[in-house]
Structures are given as C-alpha cells and as structure tokens.
C-alpha cells in the first residue's frame, strides 16, 4: 500500500490560528506534527472534496505537558482522535503498513531511498477544488537517519511548483510503508531542498504512543519490496496487547516517603523527556526494587510491554531476555539455547517499540549497557543498582526514609500508638525500609509492643566492624532483627530456620521451591514453612520462586560465636546441605538431555552462587561433580569461557581429592581438553588429550573403553589442527581395537570407521575413504 490521499486531512488549530496536515492511521486516529496542535485540546479536521466539512476532534496523545521542541525536535509528533458524530471512515482503505529505516545499506548498491509525502497547503485550490500537493524526494543511505530519530529527506520534485506550506504533519512514505511524520516544510523564508521528519520508531518508543494507537509493527524498508500481497508475518511477527508484563507482586501495600522520587522518575521516563534510560541507586534494603515495582505497576498501561529482568549477573540478564521469548513464542522457543532465545527477544523489542524494561539490582553498568545499547531507540529502560557511577544517565539517588515516613510505615504495619517508642525504633533501625518492614512484621505477628521489641534488640546487640555509607551499618541493623526473628521461628518450627540458612547460599531471587522439597513432608507442609518465613518478611514469594534479601543472606552466612543461629558448625552445615540439594535437583547428562535445559537455566544462577561460596581449595567431591555438569551444560550452550573456568577448577579439585591417576581426574582433564578444543585452542587441547591417553593406557590398559575414547579424541584434535598425518594412525588403531573389543556393529565402532574415512578424505586418499563410508552407511542402515 502506498500513500492514500483519502486519508490526508487538514487540521485547524483554533488556539494557534494555524493549519497543518494529518494522516488517518486508524479508523478515527490521525497522525500529525505536535506543533500543529500545541495549546489546544479541541480542534477541527476536514478531508478532501469540495463538500467536506470541518469535524470536531481532540488531541489523543500526548496528554501531558508538551516537551520543548527546540531541545527535543524528535518529540514533534501527535495523535488526534476524530470525535465528531458525523465522521465516516473512508471505505475500502487498507491497513497502514509501518516502516523503519536503520541507516544501513538500502537495496543492493543503491545509495538512496525514494520517499514521498502529501501535504495540505492552506491556499492550494485547483479548478475550484481544494487539493493536496505531493512532494517526492530521497533519503541518503548513510546520513538520512539521525541518532535522535530524525529523518532528513531531500526534495526532488513538487507536483505544483512554487512557494507552498501546510505539509507539516504529512505522513512520509518509503516503499509503501509509513516511516515518519514531516515536521518542517517549504515556507517563504526557507529556500533549502530538505525536509525533516520524526521517525515513527522514535515516536513509538515514547510512553503512551503505542497504547493510544493500539498496534504498530514496523517493517524494514531497507530490503527489496516483495511481489504479491503485503507481508503480514516475519520472524518477529508476534504481537501482544498493551499492558503485558511479568511484574512481581508489590512486596507491601504500604508505600510511603517516595512521592518526590516517583515524580522525578516519571519526569525522567515520560513522553516529554529525552531520557530513555534511568538508573536508581542506593544502599541494599533502601527500597530501590519497591520503587521500581510501584512505578512499573502504575504505568503498565502506557507501554506495549513491561518486562522485569533480574540483573545480578550477566547470566541472569540473558535469562530474563530468554524468558521474554518463552512468553511470546511459547512452545516454539523450546529448541533454542538461552543465548539464541535472548537474541530473539532483542530482535523482537527492536521491531516492536513502546516498551519498558526494568533491570533490577544490576551489579555492573557494563552488564546492562551490553543490552540497552542495542535497544536505545525503541523503548525505555529503568535500572536499579547499588552502584552510582558508570551509567549513561545521572542516577536518581534513593536515600533512607525520613522520620515521618518511617513512622508512617511502622504505623501502617503495627497500628498507631507508642509514637515515642516508634520514633526511637526507627532511629535504631537507621530508617532503612527493609529493616522497618521486618520489625513491623515481627511486632504484628507476635503481637508484642514496640517497647518490648526494642528491649529485645537491646538484649541481643550485634557487633559491627565498620559503619556503612550514610553513618549506619545496614548489615548490623538487619542482623539484629534477623537474630530476634529467628528465635521465634525456631520455637515455631526449626525447619523454617534451616530453610533460611540454606537459602542464604543460593542466588537471592528466583530460588525454585523444588530445592526445599526434601526438607518438608509434602507440598502443603512446604507451603506452610515458606509462608511462615514470608510472614516475618524473611523471604519473598512469587511465581518465580523464593527470594531472600542480600543483607539477610550475608548475615546468615557469617559465623558468630555467641549467636546460636549462626555458630560456625551450623553455617557450614547449611552450606553443605545447600550443595547436596542443588546436586540432587540438577538434571543429568546436560549435553544430551535437552528436556532438562529449562531446569538448568533456572538453577544456573544458584549453581554459580554455590560455587562462589567455596574457595577452590575447599572444593568437595560434590562441588567437583557440580563443576563437571555445569561445564558440560555451559559448553553446549556456547558459553565456552564459563565452561572452561568450570573444567579448570574441576581438574584441580579432582587432582587434590582423588590423585592424578584417579578415573575422575582423567575425566576432568578430558573435559577441559574438549572445552579448549571447542573454543579453538587446539594446542592446549592436544597437550591435555595426550596426557589423558598416556595416563589411561598406563592405569587402565590399552583395551579399556575409556582408553579407546581418549585415542579417538586425540586423533580428532590432531585432525582439527590440520595434522592429518598424526590423526590417521590413531584413527586406524582405534578402529582396529574397537572391532576387536566391542565388535563390528557397536555404535562406537561405526563412529571410528566414519572418522577414519573422513581423515582419509582430508588427506587426499579418497580411494580408501569411499569403501569405509560405504561400509559405515550399510552398517548404520
């Protein structure tokens, strides 16, 4: 579909006493330039024809205070709704096809992209009938699209020569797709041959645009036009209704003391703002996540999609994008690796603008920037982090609550009264929201007075090594509450305390409940245990699993001699139990067991947390096995650097625990060699394969299956390095031994015969290769 003149409308702004052009993009919605409708809510529009009448209309988007167009020219776009009861949509018009250009190559070797716009001059009359004026031009391949989202088009031809105006707001088309809205046109004081337009992708990235329009799926106009009917689906042709999200539930209905910060955040991410990425930073437990959740929940309707991404590690971020693919594609995503699924999600977000991504608790700016850089022009990003520096924007600082807000929070949790005691308690807890929520939950659940609770704190003081930023130690504060709360939990059910100590060794969010099933009698019993911990705000529960605050984790993992909940024996026992539960839950054979991949993805952050909890010289046999399994999964997922790290550590652990000649040590060495080979480091792989073969021959003998595997692996490494001369004798020896030991029809024998044929072929000896291939094919059939 090209530009349809029946959709072109003239817009009259009664406040500004000016007219401009618009284009009907939906049944009753007109796209125009924002400056055409500034200052007015109600306006008038009319279409072509001598008998056309002015019809009532109103501004649909944006409805907030308009931006400064001098500073943000890329915001010069608006949507107008025709409200007149006499309005009749033109019959037979096709749906608008939206387009995007990315500044890359156009078609083949063309250096420019043809474009066309139709304007509605104020005074253009031909043969007594009001008429439009067509302007044809082109967009330069390399310079047409600016980083801000503005398009520069060069004028090649105007249908009726002469000075003209009124095309501001006209739809700009290229290859039948609507790619932008014209914001400057030819006026008496403008003799240039350029027009400026705001790209629809830049507008769609602003909150509320897609929600107001209903649907917008830009197609790439930098590829050749296909013959036949319009293309309706692409590799990213998955649509979602506005408002789709994966937001966790709000941790507490009580939200106080953050009105100014919320307002600042709204300004930073609003439609009038140039900012598309905003970071909120502050101490752990200060309420960054809660703030982001409230903003996201309150504004979910303004975005096409709101997606929450746990961002503690790069792997969690990648998993968050992969989860978006699962939500959008369902079962069609089951055959994708984590990396492939994440890449698909990025492509979908790039072609479906108008969303909000929340990166919660980002540890390093670079981890997030690797993703936001690819998505800068398509939506909004909200980041929470404990770190202040290194972000692309000036972070919003989130401080502890002031006294009035702290009192309001405590009052909401425990009721009124005891104002002096509440004020004193808030001071003792450093006005930290997490600490206040935990204290309030304890007081409410146990029905004790605030004074009694303060007495408990005084009787169980924690030791602090140093003060944290801001003059207080949040770990000390949480530790005091943690100790008192666990006294009560121990009385009610000691298993709940055990779960908390074990959970402290996993990643802080998304802990699968299945890990704790062996600690309970049945699912109902487990739900009650977890609910008990949640009642005291020691954990959070959502569909993703169990969450535990990092400060609580830190306290739980730190041995304290005079704390019965945290003596060294209990702390280390909890670490060992967390390791055992993790090992029991990991799917076996991660290389071939594809059905276990989703479980691996869910458990991988917690595997990493367990591994971080041990120093390498502390690694146990269980840790060695976890390292082996994790390395195999990561290698098959293409995460080779992480896989090699696991294999290196596994080899060191096996050698220390079992000795150099143990079968486990030899397997670890072979795994590491395989990892190096997969990463392209064949030199180091060959050295390890040679050592493994030598050891297995010496310990197991020439005919042991593991020895035959090592000989085959070494031959493969020689072959991959280009040394076919050394590979062929090993393949020949392996085939001969497998025939003798395993038989002619064993699968390993068939693999050896096929490998030898391949080596012959690569060495140029096709005469010997062909019979082996024929024999292998015959046997396999």
């Amino acid at each position: 579909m090209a530009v349809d003149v029946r959709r072109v409308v003239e817009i009259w702004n009664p406040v500004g006493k000016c007219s401009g052009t618009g284009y009907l993009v939906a049944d009753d919605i007109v796209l125009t330039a924002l400056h055409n409708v500034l200052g007015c809510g109600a306006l008038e529009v009319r279409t072509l024809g001598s008998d056309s009448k002015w019809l009532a209309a109103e501004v649909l988007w944006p409805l907030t205070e308009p931006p400064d167009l001098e500073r943000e020219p890329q915001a010069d776009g608006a949507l107008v709704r025709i409200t007149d009861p006499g309005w009749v949509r033109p019959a037979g018009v096709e749906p608008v096809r939206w387009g995007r250009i990315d500044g890359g190559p156009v078609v083949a070797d063309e250096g420019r992209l043809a474009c066309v716009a139709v304007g509605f001059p104020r005074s253009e009359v031909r043969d007594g009938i009001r008429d439009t004026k067509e302007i044809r031009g082109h967009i330069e391949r390399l310079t047409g699209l600016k980083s801000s989202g503005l398009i520069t088009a060069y004028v090649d031809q105007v249908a009726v020569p002469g000075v003209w105006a009124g095309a501001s707001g006209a739809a700009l088309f290229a290859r039948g797709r609507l790619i932008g809205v014209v914001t400057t046109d030819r006026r008496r004081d403008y003799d240039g041959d350029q027009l400026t337009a705001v790209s629809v992708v830049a507008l769609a990235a602003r909150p509320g645009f897609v929600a107001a329009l209903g649907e917008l799926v830009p197609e790439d106009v930098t590829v050749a036009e296909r013959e036949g009917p319009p293309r309706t689906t692409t590799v990213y042709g998955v649509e979602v209704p506005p408002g789709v999200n994966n937001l966790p539930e709000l941790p507490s209905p009580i939200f106080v003391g953050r009105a100014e910060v919320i307002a600042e955040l709204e300004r930073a991410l609003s439609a009038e703002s140039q900012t598309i990425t905003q970071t909120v930073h502050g101490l752990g437990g200060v309420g960054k996540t809660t703030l982001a959740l409230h903003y996201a929940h309150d504004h979910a309707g303004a975005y096409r999609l709101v997606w929450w991404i746990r961002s503690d590690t790069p792997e969690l971020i990648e998993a968050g994008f992969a989860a978006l693919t699962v939500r959008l594609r369902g079962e069609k995503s089951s055959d994708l690796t984590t990396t492939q699924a994440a890449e698909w999600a990025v492509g979908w977000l790039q072609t479906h603008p108008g969303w909000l991504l929340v990166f919660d608790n980002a540890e390093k700016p670079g981890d997030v920037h690797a993703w936001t850089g690819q998505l800068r022009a398509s939506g909004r990003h909200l980041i929470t982090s404990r770190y202040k520096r290194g972000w692309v924007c000036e972070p919003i600082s989130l401080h502890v609550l002031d006294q009035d807000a702290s009192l309001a929070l405590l009052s909401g949790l425990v009721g009124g009264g005891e104002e002096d005691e509440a004020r004193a308690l808030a001071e003792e807890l450093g006005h930290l929201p997490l600490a206040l929520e935990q204290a309030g939950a304890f007081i409410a659940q146990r029905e004790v007075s605030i004074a009694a609770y303060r007495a408990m704190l005084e009787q169980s003081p924690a030791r602090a090594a140093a003060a944290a930023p801001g003059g207080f130690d949040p770990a000390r504060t949480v530790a005091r509450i943690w100790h008192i709360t666990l006294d009560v939990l121990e009385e009610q059910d000691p298993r709940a305390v055990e779960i908390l100590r074990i959970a402290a060794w996993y990643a802080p969010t998304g802990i699968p409940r299945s890990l704790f099933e062996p600690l309970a009698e049945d699912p109902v019993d487990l739900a009650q245990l977890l609910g008990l911990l949640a009642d005291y705000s020691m954990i959070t529960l959502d569909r993703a699993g169990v969450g535990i605050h990092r400060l609580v984790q830190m306290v739980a993992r730190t041995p304290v001699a005079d704390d019965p909940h945290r003596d060294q024996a209990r702390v280390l026992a909890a670490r060992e139990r967390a390791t055992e539960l993790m090992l029991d839950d990991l799917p076996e054979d991660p290389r071939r067991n594809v059905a276990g991949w989703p479980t691996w993805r869910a458990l991988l952050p917690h595997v990493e947390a367990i591994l971080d909890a041990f120093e390498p010289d502390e690694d146990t046999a269980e840790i060695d096995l976890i390292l082996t399994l994790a390395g195999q999964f990561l290698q098959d997922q293409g995460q080779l650097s992480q896989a090699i790290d696991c294999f290196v550590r596994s080899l060191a652990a096996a050698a220390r625990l079992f000795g150099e000649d143990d079968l486990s040590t030899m397997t670890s060495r072979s795994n590491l060699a395989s990892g190096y080979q997969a990463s392209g480091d064949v030199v180091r792989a060959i050295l390890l394969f040679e050592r493994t073969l030598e050891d297995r021959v010496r310990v197991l003998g020439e005919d042991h299956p593991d020895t035959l595997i090592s000989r085959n692996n070494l031959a493969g490494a020689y072959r991959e390095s280009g040394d076919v001369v050394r590979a062929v004798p090993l393949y020949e020896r392996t085939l001969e031994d497998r025939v003798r030991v395993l038989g002619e029809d064993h699968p390993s024998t068939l693999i050896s015969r096929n490998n030898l044929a391949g080596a012959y072929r690569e060495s140029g000896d096709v005469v010997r290769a062909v019979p082996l291939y024929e024999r292998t094919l015959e046997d396999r059939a």
Side-chain angles (χ1 to χ4, degrees):
M1 181 204 78
V3 59
D4 189 336
V5 294
R6 292 175 298 169
R7 291 177 175 266
V8 180
V9 301
E10 185 176 6
I11 296 176
W12 172 250
N13 180 342
V15 175
K17 304 297 181 182
C18 62
S19 65
T21 296
Y23 193 81
L24 190 69
V25 293
D27 287 351
D28 58 356
I29 298 177
V30 173
L31 175 67
T32 187
L34 176 60
H35 69 260
N36 287 339
V37 297
L38 279 177
C40 67
L43 44 94
E44 296 178 315
V45 302
R46 62 178 176 177
T47 57
L48 281 172
S50 58
D51 58 346
S52 64
K53 299 180 180 179
W54 288 105
L55 302 172
E58 64 182 10
V59 175
L60 175 63
W61 179 91
L63 294 177
T64 52
E65 183 178 346
D68 181 355
L69 295 181
E70 291 292 330
R71 184 175 62 88
E72 294 186 82
Q74 70 273 23
D76 197 357
L79 295 174
V80 171
R81 175 183 284 130
I82 303 174
T83 58
D84 200 293
W87 164 247
V88 178
R89 176 179 179 270
V93 297
E94 298 180 14
V96 169
R97 294 175 68 185
W98 302 90
R100 61 181 293 142
I101 59 176
D102 58 9
V106 184
V107 179
D109 294 327
E110 294 180 16
R112 54 181 57 181
L113 180 69
C115 59
V116 61
V118 176
F120 223 154
R122 288 192 295 268
S123 58
E124 182 62 27
V125 177
R126 289 190 292 181
D127 299 327
I129 299 175
R130 295 168 51 256
D131 200 359
T132 58
K133 266 187 177 176
E134 182 181 273
I135 177 170
R136 292 189 174 272
H138 69 272
I139 301 168
E140 291 292 340
R141 177 172 64 90
L142 296 178
T143 61
L145 179 64
K146 310 302 181 185
S147 60
S148 61
L150 294 178
I151 301 171
T152 298
Y154 290 87
V155 177
D156 296 330
Q157 180 183 3
V158 179
V160 180
V163 176
W164 66 292
S168 177
L172 183 65
F173 281 81
R175 297 190 180 278
R177 281 86 159 180
L178 197 164
I179 64 171
V181 54
V182 175
T183 56
T184 61
D185 55 17
R186 280 198 170 184
R187 301 182 183 280
R188 289 184 174 86
D189 58 351
Y190 178 66
D191 298 326
D193 61 351
Q194 296 180 9
L195 296 181
T196 300
V198 177
S199 71
V200 295
V201 174
L203 291 176
R206 307 182 82 84
F209 184 87
V210 174
L213 194 59
E215 183 176 356
L216 190 156
V217 184
E219 299 177 72
D220 190 0
V221 301
T222 62
V223 297
E225 183 67 272
R226 302 173 63 210
E227 295 182 358
R231 180 172 55 186
T232 57
T233 60
T234 68
V235 67
Y236 300 120
V238 178
E239 261 307 307
V240 296
V244 170
N245 68 82
N246 70 331
L247 293 175
E249 188 56 75
L250 294 171
S252 171
I254 304 172
F255 185 62
V256 296
R258 301 305 193 197
E260 292 184 3
V261 180
I262 281 287
E264 185 178 359
L265 189 57
E266 288 173 340
R267 287 192 296 270
L269 292 174
S270 69
E272 305 83 35
S273 173
Q274 190 175 14
T275 302
I276 62 171
T277 300
Q278 185 58 56
T279 302
V280 177
H281 87 95
L283 294 171
V286 80
K288 303 180 295 295
T289 296
T290 300
L291 179 78
L293 269 175
H294 274 273
Y295 175 86
H297 275 285
D298 290 345
H299 296 80
Y303 297 95
R304 176 196 296 273
L305 171 86
V306 178
W307 201 250
W308 188 271
I309 299 175
R310 302 197 309 271
S311 306
D312 309 65
T313 66
E315 291 75 22
L316 273 177
I317 298 176
E318 184 177 63
F321 280 98
L324 174 57
T325 296
V326 173
R327 172 70 68 87
L328 296 177
R329 297 187 65 185
E331 294 181 355
K332 294 181 180 180
S333 62
S334 60
D335 59 342
L336 299 177
T337 67
T338 304
T339 299
Q340 290 170 335
E343 290 174 350
W344 189 94
V346 170
W348 188 91
L349 292 166
Q350 288 174 335
T351 54
H352 295 72
W355 38 257
L356 171 68
L357 298 181
V358 183
F359 296 88
D360 184 43
N361 200 57
E363 290 291 338
K364 299 177 182 178
D367 295 343
V368 175
H369 293 165
W371 300 90
T372 58
Q374 303 175 68
L375 299 167
R376 182 163 179 78
S378 304
R380 293 291 194 261
H381 314 118
L382 174 57
I383 305 165
T384 71
S385 178
R386 288 177 293 175
Y387 301 98
K388 180 178 181 179
R389 308 195 183 279
W391 303 103
V392 296
C393 62
E394 182 64 28
I396 295 175
S397 296
L398 192 62
H399 304 290
V400 296
L401 298 174
D402 60 27
Q403 187 178 81
D404 290 342
S406 295
L407 294 177
L409 178 55
L410 279 174
S411 177
L413 291 168
V414 305
E418 293 187 279
E419 184 172 333
D420 291 341
E421 293 289 341
R423 183 178 291 105
L425 176 60
E427 289 291 338
E428 292 173 1
L429 298 180
H431 301 283
L432 187 70
L434 174 65
L436 293 166
E437 289 172 6
Q438 289 179 330
F442 177 89
I443 293 167
Q445 289 291 324
R446 297 301 297 168
E447 295 186 354
V448 299
S449 67
I450 299 177
Y453 186 81
R454 289 189 61 218
M456 294 178 192
L457 289 177
E458 184 177 357
Q459 294 165 9
S460 303
R463 307 296 182 188
F472 72 95
D473 183 0
R476 172 185 59 82
T477 302
V478 174
R480 295 169 72 186
I481 300 169
W482 186 87
H483 179 91
I484 296 169
T485 303
L486 262 64
D487 281 343
V488 178
L489 289 171
E490 185 85 28
E491 293 177 4
Q492 296 192 36
D493 197 323
R495 295 175 303 162
V497 181
E498 183 183 6
I499 288 176
L500 190 67
R501 279 194 292 261
I502 291 170
W505 296 102
Y506 297 136
T509 56
I511 307 172
R513 301 184 191 209
S514 61
L515 285 170
F516 305 114
E517 287 176 357
L519 305 175
E521 297 175 0
D522 51 44
V524 174
D525 185 38
L526 178 60
Q528 291 177 332
L529 288 171
L530 295 177
L532 179 62
L533 289 168
D535 282 343
Y536 286 93
S537 297
M538 299 306 291
I539 65 170
T540 58
L541 296 174
D542 57 33
R543 293 182 179 179
V546 177
I548 176 171
H549 197 278
R550 288 162 189 79
L551 297 180
V552 176
Q553 286 187 306
M554 184 183 70
V555 171
R557 293 194 300 256
T558 305
V560 176
D562 60 352
D563 188 339
H565 303 298
R566 292 190 291 152
D567 63 86
Q568 188 166 19
R570 286 196 179 193
V571 169
L572 294 180
R575 185 179 68 167
E576 297 298 330
R577 188 64 171 131
T579 304
E580 294 169 1
L581 293 172
M582 175 62 65
L583 189 56
D584 290 342
D585 226 33
L586 289 175
E588 297 180 353
D589 195 7
R591 284 179 170 155
R592 287 176 289 191
N593 181 14
V594 177
W597 284 5
T599 302
W600 263 104
R601 291 169 185 157
L603 290 176
L604 191 58
H606 310 293
V607 169
E608 294 171 347
I610 286 289
L611 295 177
D612 288 342
F614 285 78
E615 293 297 329
D617 58 3
E618 296 180 306
D619 286 344
T620 63
E622 291 78 13
I623 290 294
D624 179 39
L625 182 53
I626 291 175
L627 286 165
T628 297
L629 294 172
Q632 291 172 346
F633 173 74
L634 291 166
Q635 181 176 336
D636 271 32
Q637 297 292 304
Q639 297 170 257
L640 300 177
S641 176
Q642 298 95 314
I644 289 173
D645 289 343
C646 288
F647 290 143
V648 168
R649 182 170 166 182
S650 172
L651 177 57
R656 176 175 54 81
L657 293 168
F658 312 118
E660 292 288 349
D661 291 342
D662 189 84
L663 299 184
S664 297
T665 305
M666 298 179 194
T667 299
S668 294
R669 185 173 289 112
S670 182
N671 286 335
L672 179 56
S674 174
Y676 282 139
Q677 184 176 359
S679 68
D681 193 348
V682 187
V683 174
R684 281 204 279 188
I686 287 174
L687 293 175
L688 289 172
F689 278 137
E690 289 175 338
R691 168 73 183 279
T692 305
L693 176 58
E694 177 185 341
D695 291 346
R696 281 178 169 168
V697 168
R698 176 171 49 81
V699 175
L700 302 174
E702 295 282 359
D703 294 339
H704 192 280
D706 287 353
T707 303
L708 303 184
I709 289 173
S710 285
R711 187 173 287 114
N712 184 75
N713 290 341
L714 178 57
Y718 284 152
R719 179 180 172 187
E720 186 169 328
S721 70
D723 192 350
V724 186
V725 173
R726 284 203 288 178
V728 167
L730 286 177
Y731 277 136
E732 291 173 336
R733 171 73 181 279
T734 305
L735 176 57
E736 178 185 344
D737 291 345
R738 279 179 167 168
V739 168
R740 177 170 49 81
V741 176
L742 303 175
E744 294 279 359
D745 296 333
H746 193 279
S748 295
T749 303
L750 302 184
I751 290 173
S752 283
R753 187 175 289 115
N754 187 74
N755 289 341
L756 178 56
Y760 282 153
R761 179 177 57 82
E762 290 181 13
S763 67
D765 193 350
V766 183
V767 173
R768 287 201 288 179
V770 170
L772 288 177
Y773 277 136
E774 291 175 337
R775 172 72 181 279
T776 304
L777 177 60
E778 179 182 346
D779 291 345
R780 283 180 170 172

